[in-house]
Amino acid sequence: MNWEEFRHWGRRAADWAADYHAGLRKRPVRAQVAPGAILSALPDAPPEAAEAMQAIFDDFEQTIMPGMTHWQHPRFFAYFPANAAPVSVLAEYFVSAIAAQCMLWQTSPAATELETRVCDWMRQAVGLPDGFTGVIQDSASSATLCAVLTMRERALDWQGNKAGLSDHPRLRIYCSAEVHTSIDRAIWIAGIGEGNLIRIPTHGPHRAMDPEALQAAIAADRAAGHLPAGIIACTGGTSAGASDDIGAVMDVAEVEGLYTHVDAAWAGSAMICPEFRTLWAGVERADSVVLNPHKWLGAQFDCTTHFLRDPEDLVRTLAIQPEYLKTHGADGVVNYSEWSVPLGRRFRALKLWFLIRAHGLEGLRDMIRNHVTWAQDLAVRLDKTNGFEIVTAPMLSLFTFRHAPAGVQDLDQHNQDLVNRINADGRIYLTQTRIDGALVIRFQAGAFTATAEDVDMAYDVITELAEVSAKA
Ligand SMILES: *Cc1c(COP(=O)(O)O)cnc(C)c1O
């Protein structure tokens, strides 16, 4: 394809996208295909001769689309949302047409300076104080890895990168049992070792880490000759929205001189609404905070904002600066590749700029407030419905429940069957998790185009199929 042909196909793609979204409610949310079905429909060998775009497009529609799960479906209530507001999709279209590598200031000054500006917009939007500096990472997992590497280097007096980890005491990092698996993996990759990630017991309705237990674990580690390096707190854990008491964690961190990272990958978007900020009160004292506009806020994946109280620590950990990457003659410019693990960088700031401008913070707040209200209403309705119990109360728009009718022996199996039945039905999509050992069903409202009626349909589907499951 050349760019003249692209004119035609680009327009068709725009029409296709609008039609696809207009018809989403008619599609089953989760792909209804058997494992291997798509693979076996694809030719074993690559084509030697060029194929017509029309043939490729037909196969895309007929072979690929039936195997897609529709994350933009208004009745996607599984996992966390991965919203892609149309305006952010449009921005990505421009970004891929330009296809610049935005690793250094000079490799696209506008990309760097827009990134600086929109990160600061986001900082203000979520109420982080002046003085935090932001960078866009590809994912929260990467931001957390950056934070863990910084913890490591800072604790080792910046010697780990050069000297390795063998001649040092054991580094220790602390978190609750509710944190995302991206924390485990950051610890693995940083060479710290999973045995040195100390999980502090949680307590209370927010399933927050117990600050006294945290303090005691650090003291025990120091007594054993280990080297405490940092604390990872979470706001809005993946399973049930667990949220640490950030202020209490910071009290410990400040006394102990530890670097702190707050994982608010999902819940951070809700902080554009001032009334939810009590959930992460104390965050202004953290060293590093991550939140994903590519989840709830509507920025097309990938777009993670990572805020740092002092970016120097991160840059000192990651900057390498070989001669060919130096930006000669432009002192004082920011080279964001020194703030992240990959060198190459996509122009991710554009979609955030488009998104915030096209919706305004008020528009985005309305969406988030609606989701929170609708999820809470649904929790109340289910709680009042015979046979249902709310296991964890709504944290923003996320709660867990289970169906526990009298007479069912194996409740875990019964609820797993119910989730399977719901997802095979296709009208809504839910996932399960374990809370204190029990299998429970998760519900979160967060799709960009969801309406109150979509959430009502969730109630109808859940209660209807629970009846069927109980009889089966
Ligand atoms: C989704 C999520 C992550 C991982 O986010 P990625 O951007 O996919 O790496 C980490 N932590 C929490 C709490 C999450 O919800």
Side-chain angles (χ1 to χ4, degrees):
M1 180 183 291
N2 59 35
W3 287 102
E4 280 310 310
E5 291 163 317
F6 183 88
R7 288 182 196 284
H8 167 73
W9 282 100
R11 290 191 184 103
R12 280 195 61 179
D15 285 339
W16 184 92
D19 291 342
Y20 167 71
H21 281 270
L24 265 180
R25 277 195 176 78
K26 293 198 214 87
R27 296 186 187 241
V29 190
R30 195 196 62 183
Q32 309 282 319
V33 291
I38 311 289
L39 182 63
S40 61
L42 298 166
D44 291 337
E48 292 292 342
E51 295 188 55
M53 188 57 219
Q54 185 64 49
I56 301 170
F57 177 77
D58 290 346
D59 287 344
F60 160 66
E61 285 211 294
Q62 284 154 29
T63 308
I64 304 302
M65 283 312 292
M68 294 307 292
T69 291
H70 303 293
W71 282 72
Q72 306 308 315
H73 197 297
R75 292 190 298 271
F76 182 99
F77 302 119
Y79 305 97
F80 279 138
N83 284 325
V87 71
S88 79
V89 175
L90 205 56
E92 279 291 86
Y93 194 90
F94 294 132
V95 165
S96 32
I98 302 164
Q101 270 297 347
C102 307
M103 53 199 179
L104 306 174
W105 177 85
Q106 70 171 1
T107 65
S108 274
T112 295
E113 294 184 17
L114 186 64
E115 183 160 338
T116 303
R117 183 57 74 211
V118 291
C119 283
D120 199 61
W121 283 8
M122 278 299 298
R123 176 194 66 75
Q124 296 172 51
V126 299
L128 284 174
D130 197 8
F132 272 90
T133 312
V135 57
I136 302 182
Q137 307 273 10
D138 56 5
S139 63
S141 303
S142 291
T144 295
L145 175 59
C146 288
V148 169
L149 292 169
T150 306
M151 288 174 185
R152 186 190 79 185
E153 288 307 295
R154 189 176 161 275
L156 297 180
D157 202 19
W158 317 100
Q159 295 305 308
N161 279 335
K162 295 222 158 55
L165 306 183
S166 51
D167 295 335
H168 299 287
R170 282 169 168 271
L171 291 166
R172 301 289 242 192
I173 290 178
Y174 308 86
C175 66
S176 86
E178 300 274 343
V179 295
H180 189 264
T181 50
S182 56
I183 281 98
D184 304 58
R185 297 171 88 196
I187 299 293
W188 299 351
I189 298 164
I192 292 170
E194 190 167 315
N196 295 312
L197 179 63
I198 309 304
R199 294 177 194 276
I200 305 302
T202 57
H203 65 181
H206 284 190
R207 309 177 76 78
M209 73 171 117
D210 174 355
E212 281 173 23
L214 172 64
Q215 183 80 69
I218 296 169
D221 279 348
R222 289 206 197 278
H226 302 329
L227 184 54
I231 308 173
I232 299 174
C234 74
T235 301
T238 313
S239 182
S243 294
D244 290 319
D245 178 342
I246 307 287
V249 170
M250 294 309 153
D251 287 343
V252 176
E254 285 167 10
V255 169
E256 298 287 343
L258 299 183
Y259 194 86
T260 50
H261 174 64
V262 176
D263 179 5
W266 160 68
S269 292
M271 301 308 163
I272 64 170
C273 307
E275 70 272 27
F276 299 136
R277 291 182 193 155
T278 49
L279 206 56
W280 73 355
V283 70
E284 67 284 352
R285 295 157 66 190
D287 292 302
S288 163
V289 181
V290 64
L291 64 97
N292 279 349
H294 70 224
K295 276 186 171 157
W296 205 349
L297 209 61
Q300 214 265 12
F301 189 85
D302 46 5
C303 186
T304 289
T305 45
H306 184 194
F307 296 98
L308 300 144
R309 205 136 56 93
D310 181 5
E312 244 345 274
D313 288 341
L314 176 62
V315 172
R316 199 164 169 193
T317 300
L318 293 180
I320 187 154
Q321 292 232 357
E323 200 54 30
Y324 67 91
L325 289 179
K326 280 196 181 139
T327 318
H328 296 291
D331 287 345
V333 301
V334 180
N335 293 319
Y336 281 122
S337 58
E338 297 179 338
W339 302 44
S340 49
V341 175
L343 170 66
R345 309 184 86 245
R346 302 177 61 247
F347 184 9
R348 298 193 187 86
L350 195 72
K351 59 193 162 194
L352 206 45
W353 192 51
F354 275 35
L355 175 77
I356 295 171
R357 294 184 62 189
H359 290 269
L361 291 177
E362 262 317 313
L364 296 170
R365 284 186 195 113
D366 285 348
M367 171 190 68
I368 283 175
R369 285 178 177 135
N370 280 336
H371 292 156
V372 172
T373 304
W374 298 335
Q376 292 181 351
D377 290 349
L378 178 65
V380 169
R381 276 183 85 187
L382 281 174
D383 194 34
K384 286 189 189 141
T385 305
N386 231 338
F388 284 92
E389 53 190 47
I390 301 304
V391 179
T392 58
M395 283 296 256
L396 303 168
S397 59
L398 167 68
F399 66 93
T400 65
F401 66 96
R402 61 184 200 162
H403 188 229
V408 172
Q409 296 295 326
D410 188 345
L411 282 179
D412 284 2
Q413 191 58 50
H414 174 71
N415 279 276
Q416 183 62 62
D417 290 347
L418 176 55
V419 172
N420 294 348
R421 205 176 289 272
I422 287 169
N423 294 337
D425 171 86
R427 282 174 288 172
I428 66 171
Y429 184 23
L430 298 175
T431 39
Q432 71 281 348
T433 187
R434 283 198 181 266
I435 298 291
D436 302 328
L439 189 132
V440 303
I441 305 177
R442 268 173 103 257
F443 177 92
Q444 69 76 28
F448 212 75
T449 50
T451 62
E453 289 70 38
D454 291 310
V455 179
D456 286 345
M457 186 184 284
Y459 177 85
D460 296 343
V461 172
I462 292 165
T463 51
E464 176 192 318
L465 297 179
E467 290 272 306
V468 178
S469 288
K471 287 198 193 102

